[in-house]
Amino acid sequence: MKIAVLGGGNGSFAAAGDFALSGHEVRLWRRNADQVAAHRAAGSRIVVKDHTGRHEVKLALVTTDIAEAANGAELILCPAPAFAQPDIARLLAPHLRDGQVVFLPPATFGSMIFAQATLDAGNHAQVSFAETGTLPWLTRKHGPFEVAITIRAKRLPVGVFPLDQAPHALEVIGRAFPGAIEPCGDALSGALMNAGPIIHPPLIVMNAGPIEHFERWDIHKEGTQAAIRRVTDALDAERIAVREALGYGPPHFPLAHHYEKEGEIWMYGRGSHDRLTDSGDWRERIVLTEHRYMREDLRLGLSLLVSVADLAGVATPLAKAFLAIGGAVCGEDFAQGGRTLDTLGLGNLSKAELQTLLRNGF
C-alpha cells in the first residue's frame, strides 16, 4: 500500500519506519529542507528499534514537496501536534484526490480542520478524514534517523468525517493497522477518545515543581502517584460524561484501564505503563511553557472538551481548572481562543445540526 507520512517528529518517524518495515511504500514529507537533504544523503533510511531488535528500512521518498508525497497515496497519515495542523492542512488541501484517507492519530478534532481546509481550497474530491484516541506507537527518536518503538497500539477507536464514508476509510486504515482498528462513530466521537488531554494535564500541572527543579523528570514513573491518578480518573469521568450526553456508547476507553493488570484491555494493551517507564525514554526535560503536553493536550485538548461539554450541557470543573492553572503557568488566558467549536467555525450549530454535519459532511 502507498502511504504518505507528514511530519518529522517521534510519531512521524515511528509511522514511516514501521510502515516500511511492514512492506508498505512510504513517502515522508517534512518542511525542513536541510533535514530532508541530510536524510536523503543518508540513503532515505530509518533505523527502527523494538523488542525484536534493530531494523534498517528504506523509504520510497523523503521530500519537502507535499504534493509529491501525497500523489497516489491511499493513506495520508499526519501525527503532527494539533497546533501544527492548520498550516499542514492548508498545504495538503489542494492536492487531495478521490478515495484518499487522511488519518490523524490523535487529532483533537483536527479532522474538521483538514476537511474545512480542503473545502476552502475549492477541492471537492471525495476524501475521508479520520482520527483516533492515541498515537499508535509509544515512541521516541534516538537520533536523526533512528526511532525506538516501545509499544504498538492494540486497539485504536477511530471516528470518521463524514461518517457516511466510514466503511471505505476504516478499510484503508485497517490495512495499515491490521487487527487494531475499532469503529467508534463520527469524528467527534474519535476526538473524545483522545487520551492526551486526560493523562498529561494532571501530570504536568501537579508535578510542576519537580519538572522545573530536575534536569530530567519522568512524569509517568515518579510523577504518577495515587493522588494524581485519582484526579486523572475524575477528569476522565468528565470526558466520558460528555460522550454519553452526546449519545456515544461504550466502549469509552477509560484511562484507568491503561494502568490495570486485569479487566478491559486499553489502547496499548496490557502492561503498557510498566514497559513505558522501564524504557527510560520518558525521563526527559520538559519546558512547561513550550512543551506539547501544555500547548497541545492542555490548551487545545481541554479547551475543546470544555466547549463540547457546554454544547452537551455537562459540567467540567476539573478541565476548566487545569485550563486556568495552565494559562497562569504560561502567563496567558487559556480560556480565550484555544480549540473550541467557535474557533472551528461550528459554534453556531445546535447539537442536532452538528451531528447531521458529522454524518453527511459539508
Side-chain angles (χ1 to χ4, degrees):
M1 177 156 116
K2 294 181 179 180
I3 302 177
V5 176
L6 310 182
N10 299 310
S12 298
F13 264 66
D18 210 26
F19 289 148
L21 194 60
S22 298
H24 299 293
E25 179 185 314
V26 182
R27 300 90 168 271
L28 177 65
W29 170 84
R30 303 182 69 177
R31 298 175 196 248
N32 189 297
D34 291 340
Q35 291 172 347
V36 166
H39 200 167
R40 285 178 166 177
S44 299
R45 298 181 183 278
I46 290 179
V47 173
V48 178
K49 299 191 297 185
D50 63 11
H51 71 283
T52 66
R54 182 184 177 93
H55 316 275
E56 185 175 285
V57 296
K58 182 175 175 60
L59 306 183
L61 177 70
V62 180
T63 182
T64 57
D65 186 340
I66 202 166
E68 186 181 23
N71 183 37
E74 296 173 79
L75 177 66
I76 300 169
L77 185 132
C78 181
F83 48 74
Q85 290 167 350
D87 286 343
I88 296 174
R90 283 192 291 270
L91 291 171
L92 178 65
H95 309 295
L96 294 171
R97 298 294 178 260
D98 285 344
Q100 289 185 311
V101 177
V102 178
F103 186 37
L104 311 169
T108 319
F109 215 17
S111 52
M112 301 306 295
I113 290 175
F114 278 76
Q116 184 65 55
T118 305
L119 186 68
D120 291 345
N123 185 347
H124 300 289
Q126 292 294 308
V127 180
S128 308
F129 304 88
E131 55 187 280
T132 187
T134 191
L135 189 68
W137 307 269
L138 284 176
T139 183
R140 284 293 187 268
K141 291 172 73 174
H142 280 187
F145 317 119
E146 182 172 294
V147 65
I149 296 176
T150 301
I151 292 174
R152 293 171 174 86
K154 305 295 189 297
R155 302 177 68 192
L156 290 171
V158 176
V160 179
F161 178 82
L163 183 58
D164 63 11
Q165 293 185 27
H168 169 69
L170 294 169
E171 188 275 329
V172 171
I173 299 168
R175 281 190 275 134
F177 300 95
I181 300 304
E182 299 186 22
C184 73
D186 60 38
L188 182 54
S189 176
L192 291 172
M193 290 294 192
N194 192 350
I198 305 303
I199 190 171
H200 291 136
L203 287 178
I204 63 169
V205 169
M206 298 177 75
N207 283 295
I211 285 172
E212 292 200 331
H213 176 74
F214 294 105
E215 180 63 24
R216 296 180 182 276
W217 176 259
D218 190 334
I219 59 173
H220 297 287
K221 195 172 181 70
E222 297 88 352
T224 300
Q225 300 298 328
I228 296 175
R229 283 284 300 106
R230 290 194 292 273
V231 173
T232 303
D233 286 346
L235 179 61
D236 205 25
E238 294 181 359
R239 175 190 69 89
I240 293 171
V242 173
R243 286 184 54 79
E244 291 175 337
L246 292 173
Y248 299 124
H252 298 297
F253 287 83
L255 185 63
H257 291 166
H258 169 59
Y259 299 96
E260 293 172 355
K261 304 283 191 295
E262 300 177 350
E264 185 179 339
I265 294 175
W266 197 68
M267 298 184 207
Y268 288 130
R270 197 82 70 209
S272 55
H273 178 72
D274 292 339
R275 289 170 63 187
L276 182 154
T277 55
D278 289 347
S279 74
D281 280 348
W282 279 260
R283 184 170 298 284
E284 55 193 347
R285 182 168 183 262
I286 296 175
V287 179
L288 285 173
T289 56
E290 301 172 5
H291 201 279
R292 55 164 290 268
Y293 293 160
M294 180 72 79
R295 292 291 169 183
E296 177 181 23
D297 292 327
L298 196 153
R299 182 174 185 266
L300 299 186
L302 290 185
S303 61
L304 177 68
L305 180 61
V306 168
S307 173
V308 176
D310 287 345
L311 178 68
V314 174
T316 52
L318 273 174
K320 290 179 179 178
F322 280 116
L323 277 172
I325 297 171
V329 168
C330 295
E332 301 174 28
D333 184 357
F334 281 3
Q336 300 298 315
R339 181 165 296 179
T340 65
L341 292 175
D342 281 338
T343 62
L344 290 169
L346 306 172
N348 62 327
L349 300 180
S350 67
K351 184 166 70 170
E353 289 169 336
L354 177 59
Q355 289 170 333
T356 298
L357 172 65
L358 292 172
R359 182 175 60 253
N360 301 329
F362 293 114

